[in-house]
Amino acid sequence: QVQLVESGGGSVQAGGSLRLSCAASGYDNIYRYRTSCMAWFRQRPGKEREVIAGMTADDVSPTYGDSVKGRFTISKDSAKHTLFLQMNSLKPEDTAMYYCAADPRSWRTGRCEYNIWGQGTQVTVSS
């Protein structure tokens, strides 16, 4: 029953910034949201889908893909069941569809399978 809805995508010039949001619904309680896996993925034209940033739980250091380290930051407002991706110093190669993903069962299984996905939001970076 968990659903994810992304927002915040758009078109920007190289060097600009965007903040993506992922609103979640359907979690039975805030504890499950705080302690289960959440992540951002993207798929660039002609390339495979890749993980951008992920969090296994609140207060656990997030992980980042090599292509975005130092430029993107993942964060959560668990009280509002919202995941964010702050994107700075954007480059044309960052142009992609960006997806929010979750595994509401990961608190129990101990692994992130990302079985729940949003519809995606388009980010376009111009030269």
mmCIF file of all heavy atoms in Angstrom, residues 82-124:
data_model
loop_
_atom_site.group_PDB
_atom_site.id
_atom_site.type_symbol
_atom_site.label_atom_id
_atom_site.label_comp_id
_atom_site.label_asym_id
_atom_site.label_seq_id
_atom_site.Cartn_x
_atom_site.Cartn_y
_atom_site.Cartn_z
ATOM 1 N N THR A 82 8.774 12.497 4.072
ATOM 2 C CA THR A 82 9.269 13.077 2.837
ATOM 3 C C THR A 82 10.784 12.912 2.720
ATOM 4 O O THR A 82 11.519 13.204 3.663
ATOM 5 C CB THR A 82 8.912 14.567 2.740
ATOM 6 O OG1 THR A 82 7.490 14.716 2.845
ATOM 7 C CG2 THR A 82 9.364 15.137 1.414
ATOM 8 N N LEU A 83 11.224 12.441 1.564
ATOM 9 C CA LEU A 83 12.630 12.283 1.233
ATOM 10 C C LEU A 83 13.033 13.392 0.271
ATOM 11 O O LEU A 83 12.252 13.751 -0.616
ATOM 12 C CB LEU A 83 12.863 10.918 0.590
ATOM 13 C CG LEU A 83 14.303 10.523 0.276
ATOM 14 C CD1 LEU A 83 15.042 10.150 1.550
ATOM 15 C CD2 LEU A 83 14.319 9.355 -0.714
ATOM 16 N N PHE A 84 14.247 13.918 0.430
ATOM 17 C CA PHE A 84 14.728 15.003 -0.413
ATOM 18 C C PHE A 84 16.043 14.628 -1.092
ATOM 19 O O PHE A 84 16.812 13.803 -0.594
ATOM 20 C CB PHE A 84 14.962 16.278 0.407
ATOM 21 C CG PHE A 84 13.749 16.783 1.115
ATOM 22 C CD1 PHE A 84 13.565 16.522 2.466
ATOM 23 C CD2 PHE A 84 12.796 17.523 0.446
ATOM 24 C CE1 PHE A 84 12.459 16.990 3.138
ATOM 25 C CE2 PHE A 84 11.675 17.994 1.101
ATOM 26 C CZ PHE A 84 11.503 17.727 2.449
ATOM 27 N N LEU A 85 16.291 15.260 -2.227
ATOM 28 C CA LEU A 85 17.583 15.182 -2.890
ATOM 29 C C LEU A 85 17.969 16.587 -3.320
ATOM 30 O O LEU A 85 17.364 17.143 -4.239
ATOM 31 C CB LEU A 85 17.548 14.249 -4.106
ATOM 32 C CG LEU A 85 18.893 14.067 -4.817
ATOM 33 C CD1 LEU A 85 19.874 13.315 -3.927
ATOM 34 C CD2 LEU A 85 18.713 13.339 -6.148
ATOM 35 N N GLN A 86 18.958 17.163 -2.638
ATOM 36 C CA GLN A 86 19.477 18.475 -3.001
ATOM 37 C C GLN A 86 20.579 18.281 -4.032
ATOM 38 O O GLN A 86 21.565 17.593 -3.767
ATOM 39 C CB GLN A 86 20.028 19.197 -1.773
ATOM 40 C CG GLN A 86 20.619 20.567 -2.072
ATOM 41 C CD GLN A 86 19.588 21.561 -2.547
ATOM 42 O OE1 GLN A 86 18.511 21.667 -1.957
ATOM 43 N NE2 GLN A 86 19.893 22.284 -3.611
ATOM 44 N N MET A 87 20.419 18.886 -5.200
ATOM 45 C CA MET A 87 21.363 18.737 -6.294
ATOM 46 C C MET A 87 22.000 20.084 -6.593
ATOM 47 O O MET A 87 21.308 21.022 -6.989
ATOM 48 C CB MET A 87 20.671 18.181 -7.537
ATOM 49 C CG MET A 87 19.931 16.873 -7.301
ATOM 50 S SD MET A 87 19.247 16.165 -8.823
ATOM 51 C CE MET A 87 18.043 17.434 -9.236
ATOM 52 N N ASN A 88 23.306 20.177 -6.415
ATOM 53 C CA ASN A 88 24.058 21.393 -6.678
ATOM 54 C C ASN A 88 25.080 21.156 -7.784
ATOM 55 O O ASN A 88 25.422 20.024 -8.096
ATOM 56 C CB ASN A 88 24.775 21.869 -5.415
ATOM 57 C CG ASN A 88 23.835 22.219 -4.288
ATOM 58 O OD1 ASN A 88 22.735 22.733 -4.515
ATOM 59 N ND2 ASN A 88 24.268 21.969 -3.058
ATOM 60 N N SER A 89 25.574 22.249 -8.349
ATOM 61 C CA SER A 89 26.594 22.185 -9.401
ATOM 62 C C SER A 89 26.199 21.215 -10.506
ATOM 63 O O SER A 89 26.987 20.366 -10.931
ATOM 64 C CB SER A 89 27.950 21.788 -8.797
ATOM 65 O OG SER A 89 28.359 22.706 -7.806
ATOM 66 N N LEU A 90 24.982 21.345 -10.969
ATOM 67 C CA LEU A 90 24.457 20.416 -11.966
ATOM 68 C C LEU A 90 25.213 20.515 -13.285
ATOM 69 O O LEU A 90 25.625 21.597 -13.700
ATOM 70 C CB LEU A 90 22.978 20.676 -12.185
ATOM 71 C CG LEU A 90 22.074 20.166 -11.057
ATOM 72 C CD1 LEU A 90 20.706 20.813 -11.133
ATOM 73 C CD2 LEU A 90 21.952 18.650 -11.131
ATOM 74 N N LYS A 91 25.369 19.363 -13.926
ATOM 75 C CA LYS A 91 26.066 19.246 -15.193
ATOM 76 C C LYS A 91 25.121 18.697 -16.245
ATOM 77 O O LYS A 91 24.142 18.034 -15.918
ATOM 78 C CB LYS A 91 27.264 18.299 -15.055
ATOM 79 C CG LYS A 91 28.237 18.662 -13.950
ATOM 80 C CD LYS A 91 29.301 17.581 -13.797
ATOM 81 C CE LYS A 91 30.261 17.903 -12.678
ATOM 82 N NZ LYS A 91 31.281 16.839 -12.515
ATOM 83 N N PRO A 92 25.398 18.948 -17.530
ATOM 84 C CA PRO A 92 24.535 18.392 -18.576
ATOM 85 C C PRO A 92 24.376 16.874 -18.471
ATOM 86 O O PRO A 92 23.293 16.354 -18.776
ATOM 87 C CB PRO A 92 25.256 18.789 -19.865
ATOM 88 C CG PRO A 92 25.944 20.061 -19.509
ATOM 89 C CD PRO A 92 26.407 19.860 -18.082
ATOM 90 N N GLU A 93 25.408 16.157 -18.024
ATOM 91 C CA GLU A 93 25.316 14.717 -17.899
ATOM 92 C C GLU A 93 24.414 14.264 -16.754
ATOM 93 O O GLU A 93 24.146 13.065 -16.614
ATOM 94 C CB GLU A 93 26.709 14.086 -17.745
ATOM 95 C CG GLU A 93 27.536 14.692 -16.628
ATOM 96 C CD GLU A 93 28.526 15.717 -17.137
ATOM 97 O OE1 GLU A 93 28.131 16.538 -18.002
ATOM 98 O OE2 GLU A 93 29.691 15.702 -16.691
ATOM 99 N N ASP A 94 23.940 15.199 -15.926
ATOM 100 C CA ASP A 94 22.973 14.878 -14.887
ATOM 101 C C ASP A 94 21.554 14.783 -15.440
ATOM 102 O O ASP A 94 20.631 14.397 -14.714
ATOM 103 C CB ASP A 94 23.002 15.913 -13.762
ATOM 104 C CG ASP A 94 24.299 15.892 -12.979
ATOM 105 O OD1 ASP A 94 24.811 14.783 -12.703
ATOM 106 O OD2 ASP A 94 24.794 16.979 -12.624
ATOM 107 N N THR A 95 21.368 15.155 -16.687
ATOM 108 C CA THR A 95 20.056 15.066 -17.318
ATOM 109 C C THR A 95 19.567 13.625 -17.290
ATOM 110 O O THR A 95 20.243 12.719 -17.781
ATOM 111 C CB THR A 95 20.117 15.578 -18.760
ATOM 112 O OG1 THR A 95 20.430 16.974 -18.759
ATOM 113 C CG2 THR A 95 18.784 15.368 -19.464
ATOM 114 N N ALA A 96 18.395 13.407 -16.690
ATOM 115 C CA ALA A 96 17.884 12.054 -16.511
ATOM 116 C C ALA A 96 16.493 12.093 -15.902
ATOM 117 O O ALA A 96 16.022 13.137 -15.451
ATOM 118 C CB ALA A 96 18.818 11.244 -15.605
ATOM 119 N N MET A 97 15.854 10.925 -15.897
ATOM 120 C CA MET A 97 14.668 10.728 -15.086
ATOM 121 C C MET A 97 15.133 10.295 -13.699
ATOM 122 O O MET A 97 15.931 9.357 -13.574
ATOM 123 C CB MET A 97 13.764 9.663 -15.693
ATOM 124 C CG MET A 97 12.943 10.151 -16.874
ATOM 125 S SD MET A 97 11.638 11.329 -16.388
ATOM 126 C CE MET A 97 10.594 10.303 -15.373
ATOM 127 N N TYR A 98 14.642 10.960 -12.678
ATOM 128 C CA TYR A 98 15.019 10.658 -11.307
ATOM 129 C C TYR A 98 13.859 9.986 -10.587
ATOM 130 O O TYR A 98 12.724 10.456 -10.645
ATOM 131 C CB TYR A 98 15.431 11.930 -10.572
ATOM 132 C CG TYR A 98 16.803 12.419 -10.973
ATOM 133 C CD1 TYR A 98 17.016 13.028 -12.203
ATOM 134 C CD2 TYR A 98 17.899 12.244 -10.124
ATOM 135 C CE1 TYR A 98 18.275 13.450 -12.588
ATOM 136 C CE2 TYR A 98 19.159 12.674 -10.496
ATOM 137 C CZ TYR A 98 19.349 13.272 -11.728
ATOM 138 O OH TYR A 98 20.604 13.691 -12.090
ATOM 139 N N TYR A 99 14.163 8.886 -9.895
ATOM 140 C CA TYR A 99 13.153 8.076 -9.233
ATOM 141 C C TYR A 99 13.426 7.951 -7.738
ATOM 142 O O TYR A 99 14.568 7.789 -7.315
ATOM 143 C CB TYR A 99 13.106 6.663 -9.821
ATOM 144 C CG TYR A 99 12.769 6.603 -11.290
ATOM 145 C CD1 TYR A 99 13.765 6.651 -12.259
ATOM 146 C CD2 TYR A 99 11.450 6.491 -11.702
ATOM 147 C CE1 TYR A 99 13.458 6.589 -13.605
ATOM 148 C CE2 TYR A 99 11.133 6.429 -13.047
ATOM 149 C CZ TYR A 99 12.144 6.476 -13.993
ATOM 150 O OH TYR A 99 11.831 6.413 -15.324
ATOM 151 N N CYS A 100 12.371 7.988 -6.969
ATOM 152 C CA CYS A 100 12.413 7.672 -5.551
ATOM 153 C C CYS A 100 12.029 6.209 -5.376
ATOM 154 O O CYS A 100 11.133 5.711 -6.071
ATOM 155 C CB CYS A 100 11.438 8.576 -4.792
ATOM 156 S SG CYS A 100 11.314 8.273 -3.026
ATOM 157 N N ALA A 101 12.703 5.501 -4.473
ATOM 158 C CA ALA A 101 12.419 4.094 -4.246
ATOM 159 C C ALA A 101 12.464 3.772 -2.758
ATOM 160 O O ALA A 101 13.162 4.430 -1.987
ATOM 161 C CB ALA A 101 13.424 3.216 -4.995
ATOM 162 N N ALA A 102 11.720 2.735 -2.364
ATOM 163 C CA ALA A 102 11.647 2.344 -0.955
ATOM 164 C C ALA A 102 11.475 0.845 -0.813
ATOM 165 O O ALA A 102 10.995 0.166 -1.717
ATOM 166 C CB ALA A 102 10.489 3.070 -0.268
ATOM 167 N N ASP A 103 11.868 0.339 0.340
ATOM 168 C CA ASP A 103 11.615 -1.047 0.727
ATOM 169 C C ASP A 103 11.048 -1.016 2.135
ATOM 170 O O ASP A 103 11.802 -1.040 3.108
ATOM 171 C CB ASP A 103 12.877 -1.889 0.668
ATOM 172 C CG ASP A 103 12.613 -3.352 1.001
ATOM 173 O OD1 ASP A 103 11.473 -3.700 1.336
ATOM 174 O OD2 ASP A 103 13.570 -4.150 0.919
ATOM 175 N N PRO A 104 9.731 -0.970 2.275
ATOM 176 C CA PRO A 104 9.118 -0.889 3.608
ATOM 177 C C PRO A 104 9.385 -2.094 4.500
ATOM 178 O O PRO A 104 9.150 -2.007 5.706
ATOM 179 C CB PRO A 104 7.622 -0.776 3.288
ATOM 180 C CG PRO A 104 7.568 -0.251 1.895
ATOM 181 C CD PRO A 104 8.740 -0.873 1.207
ATOM 182 N N ARG A 105 9.873 -3.205 3.936
ATOM 183 C CA ARG A 105 10.155 -4.407 4.727
ATOM 184 C C ARG A 105 11.605 -4.521 5.177
ATOM 185 O O ARG A 105 11.950 -5.461 5.893
ATOM 186 C CB ARG A 105 9.796 -5.661 3.924
ATOM 187 C CG ARG A 105 8.322 -5.787 3.579
ATOM 188 C CD ARG A 105 8.067 -7.079 2.843
ATOM 189 N NE ARG A 105 6.662 -7.281 2.527
ATOM 190 C CZ ARG A 105 6.179 -8.352 1.932
ATOM 191 N NH1 ARG A 105 6.997 -9.338 1.578
ATOM 192 N NH2 ARG A 105 4.878 -8.440 1.678
ATOM 193 N N SER A 106 12.443 -3.585 4.777
ATOM 194 C CA SER A 106 13.872 -3.725 5.027
ATOM 195 C C SER A 106 14.238 -3.697 6.510
ATOM 196 O O SER A 106 15.272 -4.244 6.896
ATOM 197 C CB SER A 106 14.659 -2.647 4.273
ATOM 198 O OG SER A 106 14.233 -1.345 4.646
ATOM 199 N N TRP A 107 13.402 -3.093 7.334
ATOM 200 C CA TRP A 107 13.667 -3.087 8.775
ATOM 201 C C TRP A 107 13.686 -4.506 9.329
ATOM 202 O O TRP A 107 14.387 -4.788 10.311
ATOM 203 C CB TRP A 107 12.606 -2.264 9.522
ATOM 204 C CG TRP A 107 11.219 -2.873 9.450
ATOM 205 C CD1 TRP A 107 10.275 -2.650 8.502
ATOM 206 C CD2 TRP A 107 10.654 -3.820 10.364
ATOM 207 N NE1 TRP A 107 9.144 -3.392 8.766
ATOM 208 C CE2 TRP A 107 9.351 -4.112 9.899
ATOM 209 C CE3 TRP A 107 11.113 -4.430 11.533
ATOM 210 C CZ2 TRP A 107 8.506 -5.008 10.554
ATOM 211 C CZ3 TRP A 107 10.275 -5.313 12.193
ATOM 212 C CH2 TRP A 107 8.980 -5.598 11.700
ATOM 213 N N ARG A 108 12.953 -5.398 8.679
ATOM 214 C CA ARG A 108 12.861 -6.785 9.115
ATOM 215 C C ARG A 108 13.828 -7.691 8.353
ATOM 216 O O ARG A 108 14.444 -8.580 8.956
ATOM 217 C CB ARG A 108 11.424 -7.283 8.933
ATOM 218 C CG ARG A 108 11.215 -8.745 9.302
ATOM 219 C CD ARG A 108 9.744 -9.112 9.229
ATOM 220 N NE ARG A 108 9.187 -8.904 7.904
ATOM 221 C CZ ARG A 108 9.288 -9.767 6.901
ATOM 222 N NH1 ARG A 108 9.957 -10.912 7.074
ATOM 223 N NH2 ARG A 108 8.734 -9.493 5.726
ATOM 224 N N THR A 109 13.963 -7.493 7.045
ATOM 225 C CA THR A 109 14.801 -8.363 6.232
ATOM 226 C C THR A 109 16.282 -8.038 6.345
ATOM 227 O O THR A 109 17.121 -8.905 6.100
ATOM 228 C CB THR A 109 14.396 -8.297 4.761
ATOM 229 O OG1 THR A 109 14.625 -6.975 4.259
ATOM 230 C CG2 THR A 109 12.923 -8.646 4.593
ATOM 231 N N GLY A 110 16.604 -6.797 6.665
ATOM 232 C CA GLY A 110 17.992 -6.389 6.768
ATOM 233 C C GLY A 110 18.657 -6.100 5.438
ATOM 234 O O GLY A 110 19.887 -5.995 5.372
ATOM 235 N N ARG A 111 17.887 -5.958 4.378
ATOM 236 C CA ARG A 111 18.429 -5.638 3.061
ATOM 237 C C ARG A 111 17.464 -4.739 2.303
ATOM 238 O O ARG A 111 16.263 -4.733 2.579
ATOM 239 C CB ARG A 111 18.711 -6.904 2.258
ATOM 240 C CG ARG A 111 17.507 -7.805 2.069
ATOM 241 C CD ARG A 111 17.897 -9.073 1.335
ATOM 242 N NE ARG A 111 16.765 -9.962 1.157
ATOM 243 C CZ ARG A 111 16.390 -10.884 2.023
ATOM 244 N NH1 ARG A 111 17.073 -11.035 3.150
ATOM 245 N NH2 ARG A 111 15.353 -11.652 1.777
ATOM 246 N N CYS A 112 18.018 -3.980 1.353
ATOM 247 C CA CYS A 112 17.223 -3.039 0.578
ATOM 248 C C CYS A 112 16.905 -3.641 -0.786
ATOM 249 O O CYS A 112 17.792 -3.749 -1.639
ATOM 250 C CB CYS A 112 17.974 -1.727 0.401
ATOM 251 S SG CYS A 112 18.499 -0.935 1.941
ATOM 252 N N GLU A 113 15.660 -4.009 -1.004
ATOM 253 C CA GLU A 113 15.238 -4.606 -2.266
ATOM 254 C C GLU A 113 14.512 -3.621 -3.180
ATOM 255 O O GLU A 113 14.321 -3.905 -4.356
ATOM 256 C CB GLU A 113 14.353 -5.820 -1.994
ATOM 257 C CG GLU A 113 15.082 -6.929 -1.252
ATOM 258 C CD GLU A 113 14.229 -8.154 -1.014
ATOM 259 O OE1 GLU A 113 12.983 -8.033 -1.010
ATOM 260 O OE2 GLU A 113 14.806 -9.242 -0.831
ATOM 261 N N TYR A 114 14.101 -2.494 -2.655
ATOM 262 C CA TYR A 114 13.458 -1.416 -3.417
ATOM 263 C C TYR A 114 12.353 -1.925 -4.330
ATOM 264 O O TYR A 114 12.436 -1.826 -5.567
ATOM 265 C CB TYR A 114 14.525 -0.639 -4.190
ATOM 266 C CG TYR A 114 15.489 0.058 -3.274
ATOM 267 C CD1 TYR A 114 16.838 -0.283 -3.238
ATOM 268 C CD2 TYR A 114 15.038 1.048 -2.406
ATOM 269 C CE1 TYR A 114 17.713 0.350 -2.369
ATOM 270 C CE2 TYR A 114 15.917 1.681 -1.533
ATOM 271 C CZ TYR A 114 17.243 1.331 -1.518
ATOM 272 O OH TYR A 114 18.106 1.965 -0.653
ATOM 273 N N ASN A 115 11.335 -2.428 -3.725
ATOM 274 C CA ASN A 115 10.187 -2.959 -4.451
ATOM 275 C C ASN A 115 9.124 -1.913 -4.756
ATOM 276 O O ASN A 115 8.214 -2.167 -5.542
ATOM 277 C CB ASN A 115 9.558 -4.111 -3.667
ATOM 278 C CG ASN A 115 9.179 -3.707 -2.253
ATOM 279 O OD1 ASN A 115 9.982 -3.144 -1.513
ATOM 280 N ND2 ASN A 115 7.939 -4.011 -1.870
ATOM 281 N N ILE A 116 9.225 -0.733 -4.135
ATOM 282 C CA ILE A 116 8.264 0.344 -4.349
ATOM 283 C C ILE A 116 8.954 1.497 -5.057
ATOM 284 O O ILE A 116 10.008 1.963 -4.623
ATOM 285 C CB ILE A 116 7.665 0.829 -3.014
ATOM 286 C CG1 ILE A 116 7.057 -0.341 -2.224
ATOM 287 C CG2 ILE A 116 6.615 1.904 -3.267
ATOM 288 C CD1 ILE A 116 5.906 -1.012 -2.922
ATOM 289 N N TRP A 117 8.323 1.959 -6.135
ATOM 290 C CA TRP A 117 8.914 3.019 -6.955
ATOM 291 C C TRP A 117 7.906 4.120 -7.254
ATOM 292 O O TRP A 117 6.710 3.857 -7.412
ATOM 293 C CB TRP A 117 9.425 2.461 -8.287
ATOM 294 C CG TRP A 117 10.575 1.523 -8.131
ATOM 295 C CD1 TRP A 117 10.515 0.207 -7.774
ATOM 296 C CD2 TRP A 117 11.956 1.829 -8.320
ATOM 297 N NE1 TRP A 117 11.782 -0.331 -7.728
ATOM 298 C CE2 TRP A 117 12.686 0.644 -8.064
ATOM 299 C CE3 TRP A 117 12.648 2.980 -8.691
ATOM 300 C CZ2 TRP A 117 14.081 0.597 -8.152
ATOM 301 C CZ3 TRP A 117 14.024 2.932 -8.788
ATOM 302 C CH2 TRP A 117 14.722 1.751 -8.519
ATOM 303 N N GLY A 118 8.408 5.351 -7.356
ATOM 304 C CA GLY A 118 7.585 6.441 -7.824
ATOM 305 C C GLY A 118 7.563 6.478 -9.335
ATOM 306 O O GLY A 118 8.207 5.669 -10.010
ATOM 307 N N GLN A 119 6.823 7.428 -9.897
ATOM 308 C CA GLN A 119 6.699 7.549 -11.347
ATOM 309 C C GLN A 119 7.873 8.279 -11.987
ATOM 310 O O GLN A 119 8.065 8.201 -13.202
ATOM 311 C CB GLN A 119 5.395 8.266 -11.703
ATOM 312 C CG GLN A 119 4.153 7.463 -11.372
ATOM 313 C CD GLN A 119 4.085 6.180 -12.164
ATOM 314 O OE1 GLN A 119 4.193 6.189 -13.395
ATOM 315 N NE2 GLN A 119 3.913 5.058 -11.464
ATOM 316 N N GLY A 120 8.654 8.987 -11.199
ATOM 317 C CA GLY A 120 9.818 9.684 -11.702
ATOM 318 C C GLY A 120 9.548 11.150 -11.990
ATOM 319 O O GLY A 120 8.409 11.561 -12.219
ATOM 320 N N THR A 121 10.619 11.941 -11.983
ATOM 321 C CA THR A 121 10.540 13.350 -12.332
ATOM 322 C C THR A 121 11.738 13.696 -13.212
ATOM 323 O O THR A 121 12.863 13.273 -12.951
ATOM 324 C CB THR A 121 10.496 14.237 -11.066
ATOM 325 O OG1 THR A 121 10.313 15.601 -11.441
ATOM 326 C CG2 THR A 121 11.770 14.095 -10.241
ATOM 327 N N GLN A 122 11.491 14.432 -14.289
ATOM 328 C CA GLN A 122 12.526 14.726 -15.280
ATOM 329 C C GLN A 122 13.387 15.906 -14.845
ATOM 330 O O GLN A 122 12.870 16.951 -14.437
ATOM 331 C CB GLN A 122 11.883 15.026 -16.633
ATOM 332 C CG GLN A 122 12.876 15.404 -17.726
ATOM 333 C CD GLN A 122 13.756 14.255 -18.151
ATOM 334 O OE1 GLN A 122 13.292 13.126 -18.259
ATOM 335 N NE2 GLN A 122 15.032 14.539 -18.390
ATOM 336 N N VAL A 123 14.702 15.740 -14.960
ATOM 337 C CA VAL A 123 15.664 16.811 -14.730
ATOM 338 C C VAL A 123 16.457 17.014 -16.013
ATOM 339 O O VAL A 123 17.044 16.068 -16.540
ATOM 340 C CB VAL A 123 16.617 16.480 -13.566
ATOM 341 C CG1 VAL A 123 17.739 17.516 -13.479
ATOM 342 C CG2 VAL A 123 15.849 16.416 -12.259
ATOM 343 N N THR A 124 16.471 18.241 -16.518
ATOM 344 C CA THR A 124 17.198 18.567 -17.731
ATOM 345 C C THR A 124 18.157 19.712 -17.445
ATOM 346 O O THR A 124 17.740 20.773 -16.985
ATOM 347 C CB THR A 124 16.240 18.965 -18.865
ATOM 348 O OG1 THR A 124 15.321 17.898 -19.118
ATOM 349 C CG2 THR A 124 17.016 19.270 -20.133
#
